[in-house]
């Protein structure tokens, strides 16, 4: 068998008796080792394909492994069990469902299904949402399941009335799940263990079936997953786990780094291999990343050696705020494209929290650079942002029934589907707009409270509709969103995810503030029009050649020639709440390590000394402590100053002063259809369509390579070419 493996990889592939632990450093070819190992097990060791179990964490990884193995085996059919933990366990439960009195066609409840069921549970138990909300209950019970704590065990620990009520919820939730022939995601991992414990013969069957087990991303396993693997392998001990403790970044959802660090204690006869040759990054990137993660106490030592040479130092850029940070990224991106002939797809911009994407998206959109947002929806497509925009759109256009329907009962004001159906019928009967029906809701056959809610909603929208010419976009939007109750709704919520939604609403308001500063003569309608350009550009340019934006968490397993790590302010990355918790801070450090090791050739690190957060407040920032953990020989500090001027205005006291931001337009051409123009990134092109005049012009350009772009002139930096 001819396989292109380095010495350590080959040894790991050829060791197939007893437990094997493979520490696979970032970019060290772990997928290659796993697939070659499966190939050898079948071709050389003569294992039957059905006797091999290979588990991983994502469908993408499972699919890639299947494809590679089928290619090596030169077959289109694969008898190996390759899949995620959840898919493997679901299949096992369906096969053995009759042994636990479960319908083999059981339903698998997703998060929304679970929340709907928790609402019923709380109603049956007469537990107010003021005591515990459905999502709080779901999160806490999911945590207990991940720790394999049963309701009976939790009851013994219960000390308060709240603790006991949680146990009641847990018990009834499980009872109702079973009554519905349903399992949630946590149950998929727990039920096989129940089957194994209650039916030793079934356990024996699977121990005999799966005679060799391979596990990818072992550092991400939780307690139920660890127990499942241990049960299957307890007799033959033919288990090979592959992972990197330095990339364990999911402790917050139950992953236990001790599973990989203690593997040799649990399986004393284990043979350990460390893959240290890196085929992805340059040596300077690896050394910088290792220098940071070496500050962690809980880790296995590794010395990664790059096969791609020494490379360039990491570029460190200090910016004044998130606007200049975005400008710095675009400037560096333009230079990289010019100097190294890179494509947009060669770049990834990483950040710690989803809310950070907004200023980055705005800048990319204004300069016409296409991008993909991975791991979340676009900022302006997020539900909470669309709800807020719905209010603004309805204020601008009272005939916008789509926006009206979206926001009529958000925040909740008791307006249900039946009430809306009556409003629609009245609108059609009297031939008037749906919005106008609301002011005459007393004439509808609905309760007085609902009628009052409709009238109050009507008066709110009508009021701000009349204030359009008196308030600028920033003043109107902040006042409207505040009075609508959206800010109060999210601010008071105790649910974990609503904290992010609250911050996203504040980010939207910051976006409108910045728009008003940059465009002092603009109005709300102008802002909504600019936001709509996002869709226009996406529809017009369907190229997949795009810059990738994502959180550092979402980037795991991916790689790019050039990586920008933005928002490296202490308190943002690492998060402020981790400062006093050693375990959480070490996980933040591992997340930073993951971010750096996504890069093949170049890394840019950016932080801001003055970042707008939480309601527009300017926070003085310090560089992340992780930057100071990188030896200076691996860093190249680059000064950057964008075309932004700032001045302090307002109060005499420094704390009363406000920061004003204004983009300075240094060059400008009044373009017309047919003009030849040059763009810093796209090169030469021809203007095919345009609208507006002066610096507010929007132009449609077809560039030399066929790329079509719709650009805002003041941001595009187009130059006429004779």
């Amino acid at each position: 068998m001819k396989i292109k493996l380095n010495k350590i990889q080959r040894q790991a592939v050829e060791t197939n008796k007893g437990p094997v632990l493979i520490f696979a450093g970032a970019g060290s070819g772990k997928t290659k080792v796993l697939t070659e190992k499966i190939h050898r097990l079948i071709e050389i060791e003569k294992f039957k394909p059905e006797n091999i179990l290979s588990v991983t964490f994502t469908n993408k990884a499972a699919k890639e492994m299947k494809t590679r193995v089928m290619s090596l085996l030169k077959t289109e059919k694969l008898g190996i069990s390759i899949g995620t933990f959840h898919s493997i366990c679901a299949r096992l439960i369906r096969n053995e469902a009759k042994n636990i009195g479960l319908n083999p066609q059981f339903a698998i409840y997703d998060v929304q299904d679970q929340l709907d069921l928790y609402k019923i549970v709380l109603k049956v138990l007469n537990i107010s949402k003021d005591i515990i909300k459905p999502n709080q209950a779901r999160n806490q019970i999911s945590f207990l399941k991940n720790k394999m704590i049963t309701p009976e065990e939790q009851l013994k620990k219960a000390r308060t009335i709240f603790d006991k009520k949680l146990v009641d919820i847990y018990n009834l939730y499980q009872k109702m799940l079973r009554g519905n022939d349903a399992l949630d995601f946590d149950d998929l991992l727990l039920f096989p263990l129940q089957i194994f414990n209650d039916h030793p013969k079934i356990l024996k069957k699977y121990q005999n079936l799966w005679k060799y087990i391979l596990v990818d991303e072992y550092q991400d396993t939780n307690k139920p997953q660890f127990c499942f693997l241990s049960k299957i392998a307890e007799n033959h001990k033919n288990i090979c786990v592959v992972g990197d403790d330095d990339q364990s970044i999911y402790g917050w959802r139950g992953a236990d780094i001790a599973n990989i660090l203690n593997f040799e204690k649990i399986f004393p006869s284990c043979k350990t291999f460390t893959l240290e040759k890196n085929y992805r990054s340059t040596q300077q990137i690896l050394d910088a990343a290792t220098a940071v993660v070496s500050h962690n106490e809980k880790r296995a030592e590794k010395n990664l050696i790059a096969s791609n040479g020494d490379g360039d130092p990491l570029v460190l850029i200090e910016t004044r705020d998130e606007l200049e940070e975005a400008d710095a990224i675009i400037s560096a991106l333009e230079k990289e494209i010019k100097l190294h002939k890179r494509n947009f797809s060669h770049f990834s911009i990483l950040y710690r929290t989803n809310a950070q994407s907004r200023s980055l998206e705005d800048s990319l959109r204004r300069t016409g650079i296409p991008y993909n947002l991975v791991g979340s929806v676009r900022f302006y497509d997020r539900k909470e942002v669309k709800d807020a925009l719905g209010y603004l759109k309805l204020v601008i256009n009272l005939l916008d029934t789509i926006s009206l329907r979206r926001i009529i009962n958000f925040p909740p004001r008791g307006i249900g589907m039946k009430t809306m159906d009556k409003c629609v019928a009245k609108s059609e009967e009297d031939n008037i707009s749906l919005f106008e029906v609301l002011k005459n809701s007393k004439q509808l056959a609905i309760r007085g409270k609902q009628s009052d809610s409709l009238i109050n909603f009507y008066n709110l929208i009508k009021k701000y509709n009349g204030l359009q010419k008196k308030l600028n976009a920033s003043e109107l939007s902040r006042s409207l969103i505040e009075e609508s109750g959206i800010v109060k709704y999210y601010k008071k919520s105790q649910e974990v995810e609503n904290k992010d939604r609250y911050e996203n609403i504040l980010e939207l308001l910051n976006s409108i503030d910045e728009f008003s500063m940059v465009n002092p003569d603009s109005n709300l309608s102008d802002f909504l029009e600019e936001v709509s350009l996002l869709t226009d550009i996406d529809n017009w340019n369907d190229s997949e050649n795009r810059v990738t934006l994502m959180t550092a968490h979402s980037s795991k397993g991916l790689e790019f020639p050039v990586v920008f790590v933005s928002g490296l302010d202490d308190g943002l990355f690492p998060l402020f709440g981790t400062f006093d918790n050693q375990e959480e801070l070490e996980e933040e450090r591992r997340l930073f390590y993951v971010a750096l090791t996504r890069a093949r050739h170049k890394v840019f690190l950016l932080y801001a000394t003055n970042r707008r957060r939480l309601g527009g407040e300017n926070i003085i920032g310090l560089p992340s402590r992780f930057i100071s953990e990188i030896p200076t020989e691996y860093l190249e500090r680059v000064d950057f100053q964008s075309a932004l001027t700032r001045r302090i205005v307002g109060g005499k006291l420094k704390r009363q002063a406000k920061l004003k931001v204004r983009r300075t337009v240094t060059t400008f051409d009044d373009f017309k259809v047919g003009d030849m123009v040059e763009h810093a990134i796209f090169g030469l092109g021809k203007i095919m369509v345009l609208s507006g005049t002066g610096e507010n012009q929007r132009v449609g350009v077809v560039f030399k390579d066929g790329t079509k772009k719709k650009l805002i002139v003041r941001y595009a930096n187009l130059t006429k070419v004779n």
Side-chain angles (χ1 to χ4, degrees):
M1 180 176 65
K2 227 176 177 184
I3 47 179
K4 295 178 181 178
L5 299 167
N6 65 41
K7 183 180 177 181
I8 300 298
Q9 287 176 330
R10 182 180 294 277
Q11 290 174 356
V13 165
E14 294 177 352
T15 304
N16 292 313
K17 288 181 181 171
V20 175
L21 168 62
I22 303 174
F23 281 114
S28 61
K30 68 179 177 64
T31 304
K32 183 179 182 181
V33 168
L34 279 170
T35 53
E36 292 285 5
K37 198 171 184 73
I38 293 172
H39 183 210
R40 182 181 177 87
L41 285 169
I42 295 170
E43 292 289 301
I44 306 297
E45 310 286 347
K46 300 305 178 185
F47 276 82
K48 292 180 180 178
E50 60 268 25
N51 292 147
I52 298 172
L53 169 66
S54 179
V55 287
T56 186
F57 278 84
T58 66
N59 290 314
K60 178 178 177 289
K63 185 177 180 181
E64 181 183 353
M65 195 169 292
K66 281 181 184 176
T67 302
R68 288 203 197 184
V69 172
M70 285 192 292
S71 175
L72 287 170
L73 293 172
K74 296 181 173 59
T75 180
E76 294 182 1
K77 291 185 179 180
L78 199 62
I80 305 169
S81 295
I82 297 182
T84 64
F85 275 98
H86 287 89
S87 65
I88 295 291
C89 288
R91 196 179 315 144
L92 187 153
I93 298 168
R94 291 197 193 281
N95 290 338
E96 310 301 336
K98 59 182 183 296
N99 294 295
I100 54 174
L102 187 67
N103 184 339
Q105 302 304 313
F106 64 84
I108 299 174
Y109 276 4
D110 63 17
V111 172
Q112 190 55 55
D113 295 328
Q114 293 169 41
L115 290 175
D116 291 342
L117 187 56
Y118 274 113
K119 289 173 186 176
I120 297 171
V121 168
L122 294 175
K123 189 173 181 180
V124 170
L125 293 175
N126 198 28
I127 296 176
S128 167
K129 289 182 180 178
D130 293 333
I131 297 174
I132 186 168
K133 292 179 171 56
N135 205 45
Q136 286 176 294
R138 191 193 77 84
N139 289 340
Q140 293 194 40
I141 290 169
S142 178
F143 177 82
L144 294 174
K145 287 186 176 185
N146 275 310
K147 297 297 181 184
M148 295 177 65
I149 299 172
T150 65
E152 294 74 24
E153 291 169 334
Q154 185 62 16
L155 184 59
K156 292 176 184 176
K157 300 177 184 177
R159 295 289 178 268
T160 66
I161 294 175
F162 178 86
D163 292 340
K164 291 173 181 176
K165 283 187 182 296
L166 186 66
V167 173
D168 290 339
I169 295 168
Y170 193 172
N171 271 316
L172 185 55
Y173 172 71
Q174 288 302 110
K175 183 179 178 181
M176 287 188 166
L177 273 175
R178 291 301 297 268
N180 293 345
D181 272 330
L183 302 182
D184 63 20
F185 293 137
D186 298 317
D187 288 335
L188 292 179
L189 302 178
L190 292 170
F191 271 55
L193 300 177
Q194 180 188 325
I195 293 169
F196 292 163
N197 289 333
D198 296 344
H199 304 277
K201 288 184 179 178
I202 295 176
L203 171 59
K204 187 76 173 173
K205 179 175 81 173
Y206 286 98
Q207 288 173 336
N208 291 333
L209 173 64
W210 291 323
K211 295 178 179 177
Y212 203 100
I213 304 168
L214 302 102
V215 190
D216 191 14
E217 304 285 8
Y218 188 67
Q219 77 279 353
D220 292 334
T221 53
N222 62 16
K223 188 174 181 180
Q225 289 161 338
F226 166 78
C227 290
F228 175 77
L229 296 168
S230 300
K231 287 275 188 185
I232 300 294
E234 67 182 354
N235 291 333
H236 57 63
K237 293 185 172 54
N238 285 331
I239 179 170
C240 173
V241 302
V242 183
D244 182 6
D245 53 299
D246 287 336
Q247 296 186 67
S248 179
I249 58 174
Y250 295 112
W252 50 275
R253 68 182 190 196
D256 188 351
I257 193 174
N259 289 345
I260 192 167
L261 293 177
N262 296 335
F263 188 82
E264 293 166 292
K265 294 178 183 176
I266 297 157
F267 294 95
S269 61
C270 163
K271 291 186 174 66
T272 302
F273 302 91
T274 303
L275 306 183
E276 295 180 310
K277 188 159 187 181
N278 177 282
Y279 297 95
R280 178 191 299 155
S281 307
T282 62
Q283 194 63 54
Q284 294 214 52
I285 293 172
L286 296 178
D287 288 347
T290 302
V292 175
V293 82
S294 293
H295 284 76
N296 282 355
E297 293 178 8
K298 292 184 178 179
R299 71 179 294 266
E301 285 297 321
K302 299 173 208 69
N303 181 30
L304 296 181
I305 306 299
S307 63
N308 291 337
D310 195 46
D312 298 325
L314 288 70
V315 177
L316 178 62
I317 303 175
E318 176 184 291
T319 61
R320 288 175 287 189
D321 55 25
E322 68 275 15
L323 297 178
E324 189 168 85
E325 182 178 69
D327 282 353
I329 289 172
I330 289 170
S331 175
L333 188 148
E334 290 176 350
K335 288 176 184 175
E336 284 290 314
I337 287 175
K338 284 182 177 179
L339 293 175
H340 302 292
K341 308 299 181 188
R342 301 194 191 279
N343 298 321
F344 292 125
S345 59
H346 291 172
F347 300 93
S348 179
I349 305 173
L350 307 182
Y351 36 81
R352 181 61 183 84
T353 64
N354 277 316
Q356 290 169 253
S357 74
R358 197 272 306 160
S359 57
L360 295 167
E361 285 189 79
D362 278 355
S363 291
L364 290 169
R365 178 164 43 83
R366 287 167 182 164
T367 50
I369 297 174
Y371 65 90
N372 278 327
L373 199 61
V374 176
S376 63
V377 295
R378 296 178 195 276
F379 181 83
Y380 293 111
D381 284 343
R382 293 168 188 160
K383 180 194 177 300
E384 61 276 14
V385 176
K386 287 180 76 71
D387 288 338
L389 288 173
Y391 275 91
L392 303 181
K393 288 178 179 178
L394 187 57
V395 161
I396 297 297
N397 178 10
L398 300 179
L399 297 178
D400 186 351
T401 58
I402 299 300
S403 293
L404 189 154
R405 285 172 176 271
R406 181 179 188 93
I407 64 175
I408 189 68
N409 198 40
F410 186 81
R413 48 175 66 89
I415 309 300
M417 290 300 297
K418 290 182 179 178
T419 300
M420 282 308 297
D421 288 343
K422 290 176 182 177
C423 289
V424 170
K426 184 67 174 173
S427 168
E428 292 174 350
E429 179 186 332
D430 293 351
N431 196 28
I432 59 175
S433 72
L434 186 58
F435 181 75
E436 286 302 311
V437 169
L438 305 184
K439 71 176 178 181
N440 299 315
S441 56
K442 295 287 186 186
Q443 301 172 10
L444 302 174
I446 59 176
R447 289 181 298 173
K449 188 176 180 181
Q450 291 173 313
S451 176
D452 291 340
S453 292
L454 291 174
I455 292 171
N456 290 338
F457 177 81
Y458 174 88
N459 289 335
L460 173 71
I461 300 300
K462 196 72 174 175
K463 169 185 172 182
Y464 283 94
N465 176 258
L467 288 172
Q468 285 182 78
K469 294 181 180 179
K470 298 178 181 178
L471 303 176
N472 65 27
S474 175
E475 294 166 337
L476 190 148
S477 57
R478 280 194 175 274
S479 182
L480 171 59
I481 299 306
E482 183 73 37
E483 194 171 340
S484 72
I486 292 177
V487 172
K488 182 180 178 182
Y489 173 79
Y490 283 128
K491 194 173 184 179
K492 286 194 169 184
S493 174
Q494 298 301 309
E495 296 183 25
V496 176
E497 64 268 28
N498 278 349
K499 184 176 184 295
D500 284 340
R501 289 173 179 164
Y502 169 64
E503 291 181 0
N504 285 337
I505 292 295
L506 297 179
E507 272 297 300
L508 171 65
L509 296 176
N510 286 346
S511 173
I512 301 172
D513 288 348
E514 291 165 11
F515 178 84
S516 297
M517 290 177 188
V518 173
N519 308 281
D521 298 325
S522 66
N523 55 34
L524 189 56
S525 183
D526 294 328
F527 172 77
L528 294 173
E529 182 183 341
E530 176 164 313
V531 170
S532 74
L533 283 175
L534 183 62
T535 303
D536 292 341
I537 290 171
D538 284 344
N539 289 339
W540 197 26
N541 181 16
D542 59 357
S543 169
E544 288 305 308
N545 182 25
R546 298 168 182 268
V547 175
T548 300
L549 275 69
M550 67 179 94
T551 63
H553 277 101
S554 296
S555 73
K556 191 164 175 284
L558 303 177
E559 59 181 62
F560 302 88
V562 181
V563 168
F564 296 91
V565 187
S566 63
L568 282 172
D569 312 358
D570 219 35
L572 185 56
F573 198 174
L575 292 173
F576 180 78
T578 66
F579 287 0
D580 298 323
N581 185 308
Q582 182 65 21
E583 285 192 4
E584 290 181 4
L585 186 58
E586 289 203 359
E587 183 156 309
E588 290 284 299
R589 196 174 274 117
R590 292 193 293 269
L591 183 61
F592 182 67
Y593 173 88
V594 166
L596 295 191
T597 55
R598 298 312 92 201
R600 293 208 292 267
H601 305 308
K602 199 148 190 178
V603 171
F604 291 84
L605 308 175
L606 300 102
Y607 67 94
T609 57
N610 189 2
R611 190 178 297 273
R612 288 162 62 86
R613 295 190 213 165
L614 301 179
E617 178 188 359
N618 287 306
I619 296 176
I620 303 301
L622 296 172
S624 168
R625 60 195 62 197
F626 298 157
I627 292 174
S628 65
E629 293 174 357
I630 300 174
T632 54
E633 61 262 33
Y634 302 128
L635 291 174
E636 177 189 355
R637 290 182 176 270
V638 172
D639 292 329
F640 177 79
Q641 190 167 358
S642 69
L644 290 172
T645 58
R646 292 161 171 76
R647 60 191 179 91
I648 301 297
V649 299
K652 295 177 182 177
L653 296 177
K654 192 173 182 181
R655 59 187 171 84
Q656 294 176 326
K658 293 181 180 178
L659 191 69
K660 285 284 186 182
V661 182
R662 178 171 59 85
R663 184 171 296 272
T664 303
V665 180
T666 54
T667 58
F668 175 72
D669 286 308
D670 195 6
F671 298 108
K672 61 183 183 296
V673 172
D675 280 350
M676 296 299 295
V677 293
E678 185 173 15
H679 187 276
I681 294 173
F682 300 106
L684 290 173
K686 185 176 183 179
I687 294 178
M688 307 304 290
V689 293
L690 62 77
S691 63
T693 58
E695 63 179 26
N696 291 319
Q697 273 190 329
R698 287 168 170 79
V699 294
V701 184
V702 176
F703 290 94
K704 226 176 159 185
D705 62 357
T707 301
K708 300 176 182 178
K709 300 299 298 179
K710 185 177 287 187
L711 304 169
I712 302 170
V713 169
R714 78 170 73 184
Y715 300 113
N717 293 322
L718 294 172
T719 306
K720 273 188 182 179
V721 177
N722 293 326

